[in-house]
Amino acid sequence: MIENLGTTGLIFNEPLLWERGAEGRIGFSLPRRDVEEFPIDSALVGDVPELPELSEVDVVRHYTRLSQWNFGVDSSLYPLGSCTMKYNPKVHERLAGLRGFAGAHPLLPPELCQGALALLHDLESYLAEITGMDATSLQPAAGAHGELTGLLVIRSYLKGRGEGRSKILVPDTAHGTNPASAALCGLEPIVVSSNERGILSPSDVAAVMDADVAGIMVTNPNTLGLFEEDLKAIAELVHAKGGQVYCDGANLNAVMGIVQMGTLGVDVMHLNLHKTFSTPHGGGGPGSGPICVKRHLEPFLPVPRIVKDEAGNYALAFDRPASVGKIHAFCGNFGVMVRAYSYIRSLGPEDLKKASQLAVLNANYLREKLKGVFHLAYDRPCMHECVFTDEGLADHGVTTLDVAKRLMDYGFHPPTIYFPLVVHGALMIEPTETESLETIDQFIAACRAIAEEARTDPQRLRDAPAKTKLGRLDETSAARNPCLKG
Ligand SMILES: *Cc1c(COP(=O)(O)O)cnc(C)c1O
């Protein structure tokens, strides 16, 4: 079966794990029991599941092979725009794994987990400082969850003023979670078009801002990788009509230590700790989407609040009558917060700023170098990511999807494609600050080679990827009839 060796040097058509093994083969050796056996009622134990019997080496090879068929940020460049797939230093994993943190039971009484509470309390204040806001709740488990929580806070605040506004303004460049969160919160999203510069115009916002609009959700920098330069003016006119300003802070990686959104009139914003603050993500692992708010919204934050008394003791406060309630078990996904705390503490203010500066520099370098290779959606300096279109590719019968698939043959994860929706055939590239000049140059060289292939050998792109374990999938069928065993 040597001819079936794949790119990873592994044999492809081996039997599946559960088709292998033999009766009586054992793959584990436990330390000798040092506690007395506790008899368990056999009715509670039930039938033993039918699992294959395998040796340790079978199991190790199986999982090692699976890990090699996968692609991660630890494999190569992963320039998935809007997702900030940067390298996450391993030291933060080690700290999150410290026994005192990883082993702390969420039901420990506060007096037995003062250290964990101190970490959460400090992290809240760091995030408030970075965003220029007054208070933070770490409870939401993801960006979308933060959006929902933030909008619930806004709705409760407006209700407290006796107002039942039913609409919210959302730019046409917004991430899909924005209108979805609004709808889930009972607010009708009203789309505001971005202008010819790819950002919001105050006049367009003014035209639709009325007394039935609860506020606006603005992503800054937006998903075109452009800074919303008129956010302050927009916030003023939304406030003048009694609305609140929500900022989607998923793209904070471009502005850490540079712009405090609170100074631009933002009332509430969420951050994605799993994008900006060193938690590996993708594949649906635990995330964290804290929200930071201005003082007038603090009473509405989820409970429990982490409070510190004058003697320096930490406690969990549940008695907050105006709170939107609980939105996550306990205090949220604690392990993600330890990583974020450790990331912020190890970088410090100067290096957080530098990380953002490098993220922006890398994106602009890439944009300049690829300018003539692909068509730029907006030909102006960008923030942390840049967006190209499929203009010119269609002449060769090639699509954005073909380019993305071909990049896999060159060893790179494809960028985000067909988003944002306002750009035709979008290719949205976010190199992040953790990539070296050499890696970015290799990516640029791959893009150039692919653009050349589009002209000379377009079929090659349409057939891509050719070097991965699986070729191009029928994604529609895969989504409708997922085969989870293969
Ligand atoms: C990733 C992202 C979100 C959603 O965050 P999740 O953690 O995936 O729920 C929202 N807005 C923008 C701009 C994003 O990039």
mmCIF file of all heavy atoms in Angstrom, residues 161-194:
data_model
loop_
_atom_site.group_PDB
_atom_site.id
_atom_site.type_symbol
_atom_site.label_atom_id
_atom_site.label_comp_id
_atom_site.label_asym_id
_atom_site.label_seq_id
_atom_site.Cartn_x
_atom_site.Cartn_y
_atom_site.Cartn_z
ATOM 1 N N ARG A 161 -36.352 53.497 31.556
ATOM 2 C CA ARG A 161 -36.738 54.891 31.267
ATOM 3 C C ARG A 161 -38.158 54.958 30.701
ATOM 4 O O ARG A 161 -38.581 55.978 30.184
ATOM 5 C CB ARG A 161 -35.772 55.481 30.228
ATOM 6 C CG ARG A 161 -34.388 55.739 30.772
ATOM 7 C CD ARG A 161 -33.597 56.724 29.929
ATOM 8 N NE ARG A 161 -33.820 56.576 28.486
ATOM 9 C CZ ARG A 161 -32.979 57.000 27.567
ATOM 10 N NH1 ARG A 161 -31.858 57.581 27.917
ATOM 11 N NH2 ARG A 161 -33.244 56.853 26.284
ATOM 12 N N GLY A 162 -38.826 53.789 30.713
ATOM 13 C CA GLY A 162 -40.202 53.737 30.219
ATOM 14 C C GLY A 162 -40.308 53.708 28.708
ATOM 15 O O GLY A 162 -41.315 54.107 28.134
ATOM 16 N N GLU A 163 -39.225 53.240 28.069
ATOM 17 C CA GLU A 163 -39.246 53.231 26.607
ATOM 18 C C GLU A 163 -39.227 51.810 26.064
ATOM 19 O O GLU A 163 -38.482 50.967 26.544
ATOM 20 C CB GLU A 163 -38.029 53.981 26.056
ATOM 21 C CG GLU A 163 -38.027 55.437 26.432
ATOM 22 C CD GLU A 163 -36.964 56.192 25.646
ATOM 23 O OE1 GLU A 163 -36.926 56.029 24.411
ATOM 24 O OE2 GLU A 163 -36.172 56.904 26.278
ATOM 25 N N GLY A 164 -40.031 51.560 25.062
ATOM 26 C CA GLY A 164 -40.060 50.226 24.453
ATOM 27 C C GLY A 164 -39.696 50.302 22.985
ATOM 28 O O GLY A 164 -40.501 49.981 22.127
ATOM 29 N N ARG A 165 -38.497 50.768 22.693
ATOM 30 C CA ARG A 165 -38.102 50.938 21.286
ATOM 31 C C ARG A 165 -37.964 49.578 20.605
ATOM 32 O O ARG A 165 -37.475 48.631 21.217
ATOM 33 C CB ARG A 165 -36.798 51.721 21.210
ATOM 34 C CG ARG A 165 -36.929 53.099 21.854
ATOM 35 C CD ARG A 165 -35.644 53.889 21.747
ATOM 36 N NE ARG A 165 -35.810 55.218 22.317
ATOM 37 C CZ ARG A 165 -35.317 56.321 21.782
ATOM 38 N NH1 ARG A 165 -34.607 56.260 20.671
ATOM 39 N NH2 ARG A 165 -35.533 57.494 22.353
ATOM 40 N N SER A 166 -38.328 49.477 19.329
ATOM 41 C CA SER A 166 -38.435 48.149 18.706
ATOM 42 C C SER A 166 -37.416 47.893 17.590
ATOM 43 O O SER A 166 -37.369 46.805 17.043
ATOM 44 C CB SER A 166 -39.836 47.959 18.143
ATOM 45 O OG SER A 166 -40.028 48.826 17.036
ATOM 46 N N LYS A 167 -36.600 48.895 17.229
ATOM 47 C CA LYS A 167 -35.690 48.698 16.079
ATOM 48 C C LYS A 167 -34.236 48.973 16.486
ATOM 49 O O LYS A 167 -33.971 49.617 17.489
ATOM 50 C CB LYS A 167 -36.077 49.637 14.934
ATOM 51 C CG LYS A 167 -37.478 49.360 14.386
ATOM 52 C CD LYS A 167 -37.804 50.216 13.189
ATOM 53 C CE LYS A 167 -38.079 51.649 13.572
ATOM 54 N NZ LYS A 167 -38.583 52.477 12.476
ATOM 55 N N ILE A 168 -33.319 48.478 15.661
ATOM 56 C CA ILE A 168 -31.902 48.791 15.892
ATOM 57 C C ILE A 168 -31.214 48.923 14.537
ATOM 58 O O ILE A 168 -31.541 48.197 13.599
ATOM 59 C CB ILE A 168 -31.220 47.719 16.782
ATOM 60 C CG1 ILE A 168 -29.790 48.117 17.155
ATOM 61 C CG2 ILE A 168 -31.195 46.357 16.112
ATOM 62 C CD1 ILE A 168 -29.474 47.998 18.603
ATOM 63 N N LEU A 169 -30.285 49.859 14.438
ATOM 64 C CA LEU A 169 -29.591 50.090 13.162
ATOM 65 C C LEU A 169 -28.369 49.178 13.075
ATOM 66 O O LEU A 169 -27.607 49.059 14.031
ATOM 67 C CB LEU A 169 -29.162 51.554 13.046
ATOM 68 C CG LEU A 169 -30.259 52.602 13.304
ATOM 69 C CD1 LEU A 169 -29.695 54.014 13.132
ATOM 70 C CD2 LEU A 169 -31.439 52.386 12.357
ATOM 71 N N VAL A 170 -28.192 48.537 11.919
ATOM 72 C CA VAL A 170 -27.060 47.621 11.710
ATOM 73 C C VAL A 170 -26.472 47.911 10.319
ATOM 74 O O VAL A 170 -27.206 47.875 9.334
ATOM 75 C CB VAL A 170 -27.527 46.145 11.781
ATOM 76 C CG1 VAL A 170 -26.353 45.209 11.602
ATOM 77 C CG2 VAL A 170 -28.225 45.847 13.097
ATOM 78 N N PRO A 171 -25.181 48.213 10.234
ATOM 79 C CA PRO A 171 -24.582 48.487 8.921
ATOM 80 C C PRO A 171 -24.593 47.256 8.004
ATOM 81 O O PRO A 171 -24.628 46.120 8.497
ATOM 82 C CB PRO A 171 -23.130 48.864 9.249
ATOM 83 C CG PRO A 171 -23.056 49.014 10.718
ATOM 84 C CD PRO A 171 -24.211 48.312 11.322
ATOM 85 N N ASP A 172 -24.543 47.481 6.695
ATOM 86 C CA ASP A 172 -24.574 46.349 5.746
ATOM 87 C C ASP A 172 -23.267 45.550 5.758
ATOM 88 O O ASP A 172 -23.193 44.481 5.164
ATOM 89 C CB ASP A 172 -24.908 46.819 4.320
ATOM 90 C CG ASP A 172 -23.915 47.848 3.786
ATOM 91 O OD1 ASP A 172 -22.973 48.224 4.517
ATOM 92 O OD2 ASP A 172 -24.084 48.293 2.631
ATOM 93 N N THR A 173 -22.241 46.057 6.449
ATOM 94 C CA THR A 173 -20.983 45.313 6.543
ATOM 95 C C THR A 173 -20.942 44.419 7.787
ATOM 96 O O THR A 173 -19.959 43.725 8.026
ATOM 97 C CB THR A 173 -19.786 46.299 6.635
ATOM 98 O OG1 THR A 173 -20.091 47.276 7.630
ATOM 99 C CG2 THR A 173 -19.521 46.969 5.315
ATOM 100 N N ALA A 174 -22.012 44.445 8.599
ATOM 101 C CA ALA A 174 -21.972 43.746 9.896
ATOM 102 C C ALA A 174 -21.825 42.241 9.735
ATOM 103 O O ALA A 174 -22.256 41.651 8.747
ATOM 104 C CB ALA A 174 -23.228 44.046 10.692
ATOM 105 N N HIS A 175 -21.224 41.638 10.750
ATOM 106 C CA HIS A 175 -21.162 40.185 10.869
ATOM 107 C C HIS A 175 -22.597 39.680 11.041
ATOM 108 O O HIS A 175 -23.419 40.349 11.669
ATOM 109 C CB HIS A 175 -20.336 39.863 12.119
ATOM 110 C CG HIS A 175 -19.896 38.448 12.232
ATOM 111 N ND1 HIS A 175 -20.631 37.502 12.900
ATOM 112 C CD2 HIS A 175 -18.801 37.811 11.775
ATOM 113 C CE1 HIS A 175 -19.995 36.343 12.856
ATOM 114 N NE2 HIS A 175 -18.875 36.504 12.180
ATOM 115 N N GLY A 176 -22.886 38.496 10.497
ATOM 116 C CA GLY A 176 -24.252 37.963 10.540
ATOM 117 C C GLY A 176 -24.827 37.821 11.935
ATOM 118 O O GLY A 176 -26.043 37.846 12.130
ATOM 119 N N THR A 177 -23.921 37.692 12.932
ATOM 120 C CA THR A 177 -24.436 37.538 14.295
ATOM 121 C C THR A 177 -25.131 38.811 14.784
ATOM 122 O O THR A 177 -25.993 38.727 15.657
ATOM 123 C CB THR A 177 -23.292 37.206 15.282
ATOM 124 O OG1 THR A 177 -22.230 38.135 15.087
ATOM 125 C CG2 THR A 177 -22.779 35.791 15.080
ATOM 126 N N ASN A 178 -24.765 39.991 14.226
ATOM 127 C CA ASN A 178 -25.362 41.242 14.720
ATOM 128 C C ASN A 178 -26.877 41.289 14.512
ATOM 129 O O ASN A 178 -27.629 41.417 15.484
ATOM 130 C CB ASN A 178 -24.693 42.474 14.083
ATOM 131 C CG ASN A 178 -23.291 42.755 14.610
ATOM 132 O OD1 ASN A 178 -22.728 43.823 14.414
ATOM 133 N ND2 ASN A 178 -22.682 41.792 15.292
ATOM 134 N N PRO A 179 -27.355 41.154 13.265
ATOM 135 C CA PRO A 179 -28.821 41.146 13.095
ATOM 136 C C PRO A 179 -29.482 39.957 13.786
ATOM 137 O O PRO A 179 -30.605 40.073 14.287
ATOM 138 C CB PRO A 179 -29.016 41.092 11.573
ATOM 139 C CG PRO A 179 -27.702 40.720 10.992
ATOM 140 C CD PRO A 179 -26.655 41.147 11.968
ATOM 141 N N ALA A 180 -28.769 38.831 13.864
ATOM 142 C CA ALA A 180 -29.355 37.651 14.516
ATOM 143 C C ALA A 180 -29.557 37.913 16.009
ATOM 144 O O ALA A 180 -30.608 37.607 16.566
ATOM 145 C CB ALA A 180 -28.463 36.428 14.299
ATOM 146 N N SER A 181 -28.536 38.510 16.662
ATOM 147 C CA SER A 181 -28.664 38.816 18.090
ATOM 148 C C SER A 181 -29.780 39.823 18.318
ATOM 149 O O SER A 181 -30.538 39.727 19.286
ATOM 150 C CB SER A 181 -27.360 39.404 18.644
ATOM 151 O OG SER A 181 -26.304 38.511 18.450
ATOM 152 N N ALA A 182 -29.867 40.814 17.413
ATOM 153 C CA ALA A 182 -30.910 41.838 17.548
ATOM 154 C C ALA A 182 -32.283 41.172 17.494
ATOM 155 O O ALA A 182 -33.147 41.426 18.341
ATOM 156 C CB ALA A 182 -30.770 42.884 16.449
ATOM 157 N N ALA A 183 -32.460 40.280 16.505
ATOM 158 C CA ALA A 183 -33.754 39.624 16.342
ATOM 159 C C ALA A 183 -34.086 38.774 17.572
ATOM 160 O O ALA A 183 -35.218 38.776 18.054
ATOM 161 C CB ALA A 183 -33.751 38.774 15.072
ATOM 162 N N LEU A 184 -33.053 38.088 18.096
ATOM 163 C CA LEU A 184 -33.254 37.240 19.273
ATOM 164 C C LEU A 184 -33.681 38.072 20.478
ATOM 165 O O LEU A 184 -34.363 37.608 21.381
ATOM 166 C CB LEU A 184 -31.933 36.516 19.575
ATOM 167 C CG LEU A 184 -31.985 35.177 20.276
ATOM 168 C CD1 LEU A 184 -32.834 34.193 19.496
ATOM 169 C CD2 LEU A 184 -30.570 34.608 20.423
ATOM 170 N N CYS A 185 -33.254 39.328 20.468
ATOM 171 C CA CYS A 185 -33.548 40.233 21.576
ATOM 172 C C CYS A 185 -34.864 40.985 21.318
ATOM 173 O O CYS A 185 -35.234 41.871 22.061
ATOM 174 C CB CYS A 185 -32.375 41.200 21.707
ATOM 175 S SG CYS A 185 -32.374 42.155 23.190
ATOM 176 N N GLY A 186 -35.542 40.633 20.236
ATOM 177 C CA GLY A 186 -36.828 41.265 19.931
ATOM 178 C C GLY A 186 -36.701 42.619 19.261
ATOM 179 O O GLY A 186 -37.648 43.401 19.234
ATOM 180 N N LEU A 187 -35.515 42.912 18.705
ATOM 181 C CA LEU A 187 -35.317 44.192 18.022
ATOM 182 C C LEU A 187 -35.240 43.953 16.512
ATOM 183 O O LEU A 187 -34.514 43.057 16.062
ATOM 184 C CB LEU A 187 -34.018 44.856 18.494
ATOM 185 C CG LEU A 187 -34.008 45.350 19.945
ATOM 186 C CD1 LEU A 187 -32.574 45.646 20.388
ATOM 187 C CD2 LEU A 187 -34.882 46.591 20.098
ATOM 188 N N GLU A 188 -35.950 44.763 15.753
ATOM 189 C CA GLU A 188 -35.922 44.590 14.298
ATOM 190 C C GLU A 188 -34.688 45.300 13.728
ATOM 191 O O GLU A 188 -34.519 46.509 13.909
ATOM 192 C CB GLU A 188 -37.198 45.204 13.695
ATOM 193 C CG GLU A 188 -37.292 44.995 12.203
ATOM 194 C CD GLU A 188 -38.327 45.937 11.570
ATOM 195 O OE1 GLU A 188 -39.135 46.527 12.315
ATOM 196 O OE2 GLU A 188 -38.288 46.094 10.349
ATOM 197 N N PRO A 189 -33.777 44.542 13.050
ATOM 198 C CA PRO A 189 -32.590 45.208 12.503
ATOM 199 C C PRO A 189 -32.929 46.028 11.255
ATOM 200 O O PRO A 189 -33.588 45.527 10.354
ATOM 201 C CB PRO A 189 -31.656 44.036 12.141
ATOM 202 C CG PRO A 189 -32.469 42.791 12.249
ATOM 203 C CD PRO A 189 -33.814 43.098 12.807
ATOM 204 N N ILE A 190 -32.492 47.283 11.242
ATOM 205 C CA ILE A 190 -32.678 48.155 10.075
ATOM 206 C C ILE A 190 -31.294 48.339 9.447
ATOM 207 O O ILE A 190 -30.364 48.810 10.108
ATOM 208 C CB ILE A 190 -33.231 49.549 10.499
ATOM 209 C CG1 ILE A 190 -34.509 49.395 11.332
ATOM 210 C CG2 ILE A 190 -33.429 50.457 9.291
ATOM 211 C CD1 ILE A 190 -35.698 48.846 10.589
ATOM 212 N N VAL A 191 -31.152 47.962 8.201
ATOM 213 C CA VAL A 191 -29.835 47.989 7.563
ATOM 214 C C VAL A 191 -29.467 49.405 7.128
ATOM 215 O O VAL A 191 -30.272 50.109 6.506
ATOM 216 C CB VAL A 191 -29.804 47.037 6.343
ATOM 217 C CG1 VAL A 191 -28.448 47.114 5.642
ATOM 218 C CG2 VAL A 191 -30.107 45.616 6.780
ATOM 219 N N VAL A 192 -28.250 49.830 7.481
ATOM 220 C CA VAL A 192 -27.724 51.119 7.009
ATOM 221 C C VAL A 192 -26.579 50.804 6.049
ATOM 222 O O VAL A 192 -25.653 50.065 6.404
ATOM 223 C CB VAL A 192 -27.177 51.974 8.180
ATOM 224 C CG1 VAL A 192 -26.789 53.357 7.684
ATOM 225 C CG2 VAL A 192 -28.187 52.072 9.309
ATOM 226 N N SER A 193 -26.653 51.358 4.832
ATOM 227 C CA SER A 193 -25.600 51.073 3.844
ATOM 228 C C SER A 193 -24.328 51.828 4.181
ATOM 229 O O SER A 193 -24.380 52.975 4.651
ATOM 230 C CB SER A 193 -26.054 51.491 2.450
ATOM 231 O OG SER A 193 -27.182 50.746 2.096
ATOM 232 N N SER A 194 -23.184 51.182 3.920
ATOM 233 C CA SER A 194 -21.918 51.905 4.073
ATOM 234 C C SER A 194 -21.698 52.731 2.799
ATOM 235 O O SER A 194 -22.265 52.434 1.749
ATOM 236 C CB SER A 194 -20.778 50.923 4.310
ATOM 237 O OG SER A 194 -20.921 49.786 3.498
#
